[in-house]
Amino acid sequence: MSFDRKIKIAPSILSADFANFGQEIQAIETQGADWVHVDVMDGHFVPNLTFGPQAVKAFRPHVKTVMDVHLMIAPVDPYINAYADAGADVLTAHIEAGPHIHRTLQAIRGAGMKAGVALNPGTPAEAVEHLLDLTDLVCVMTVNPGFGGQKFIDMTAKIRRLRSMIGDRPVHIEIDGGVDPTTAPLVAEAGADVLVAGSAVFKGGSVNTSEVYGENIRKIRASTEGTWT
């Protein structure tokens, strides 16, 4: 997994057809997805339940790009090895999920994955300033985590601050929540390079009409053209 700052579209399979994940993953990749985003929720840290390690392991053979696993769970540390064994390429933990984020990020890297740290909308950029040398990705939540399809919360000032703090480090800024062709250029111009999109990619399409996914991905990507990245 090489590093670059080109815009990457990472459809969230939380918006896919739950009865058809394998074909849905193949469809979005065929139609231009750069990464596949997997939202893991525990019904405790966030008010929803989604994918355990066995589900993620079942997704892995279908993912040919990058499997980007976002843990909205607490605690995180007991599950790091399970998600490594499931095949995650990137594993992201919330800074709000536990008191020992350094240990968590070190353990994620130690298990052979790229380490991400996520920030809820109410958490300032400065909370991760001391973590940037342990981190491969900072995920800025632009909704309160727990459900797909929520309204975008403007975090462009936080994104700009993060980009300034990151400097030349090979650290991605990922945006998760409410990304569509209207909001994508705002966050890309501020310095984000990985855009998670759920309903904006999957709306109107299916595995039988996957060209709609491609149209939606292209619209999001095209909306970011000309931004600084």
Side-chain angles (χ1 to χ4, degrees):
M1 188 179 152
S2 60
F3 180 84
D4 65 64
R5 295 201 193 279
K6 293 178 184 175
I7 295 293
K8 286 161 279 296
I9 309 298
S12 168
I13 61 170
L14 190 63
S15 295
D17 176 1
F18 276 33
N20 219 0
F21 276 125
Q23 286 185 285
E24 289 276 45
I25 290 167
Q26 292 168 25
I28 56 175
E29 289 192 330
T30 298
Q31 292 295 330
D34 300 291
W35 292 12
V36 174
H37 188 81
V38 182
D39 288 305
V40 174
M41 306 181 190
D42 65 357
H44 165 69
F45 182 68
V46 294
N48 201 354
L49 279 167
T50 58
F51 312 117
Q54 289 303 312
V56 175
K57 189 173 185 177
F59 303 154
R60 177 72 260 186
H62 302 283
V63 179
K64 307 304 181 191
T65 56
V66 172
M67 188 159 70
D68 173 31
V69 178
H70 177 191
L71 299 183
M72 288 169 269
I73 68 174
V76 171
D77 293 6
Y79 300 98
I80 290 171
N81 287 335
Y83 284 99
D85 291 343
D89 295 304
V90 182
L91 195 68
T92 297
H94 273 258
I95 195 168
E96 305 89 358
H100 306 299
I101 189 64
H102 291 81
R103 179 186 298 161
T104 299
L105 295 173
Q106 289 166 347
I108 291 170
R109 282 185 166 180
M113 298 172 287
K114 299 292 186 182
V117 60
L119 297 170
N120 283 335
T123 302
E126 286 72 19
V128 299
E129 189 166 12
H130 61 300
L131 300 171
L132 294 175
D133 291 325
L134 294 172
T135 303
D136 301 290
L137 177 148
V138 179
C139 176
V140 178
M141 296 301 300
T142 43
V143 298
N144 286 297
F147 296 96
Q150 296 185 70
K151 186 175 170 149
F152 176 83
I153 301 171
D154 187 351
M155 291 284 129
T156 49
K158 184 190 290 190
I159 298 164
R160 290 181 200 283
R161 175 68 180 131
L162 282 167
R163 180 49 72 207
S164 174
M165 286 163 38
I166 288 167
D168 293 332
R169 294 178 179 93
V171 178
H172 296 290
I173 296 179
E174 178 176 76
I175 306 302
D176 189 353
V179 171
D180 61 25
T182 301
T183 58
L186 303 177
V187 297
E189 191 277 331
D193 59 287
V194 181
L195 308 183
V196 176
S199 53
V201 167
F202 286 96
K203 67 181 178 184
S206 70
V207 294
N208 295 319
T209 56
S210 61
E211 66 276 4
V212 175
Y213 299 160
E215 291 168 11
N216 292 337
I217 289 169
R218 285 190 291 276
K219 284 176 185 175
I220 296 169
R221 199 185 304 280
S223 75
T224 69
E225 290 177 0
T227 57
W228 80 272
T229 52

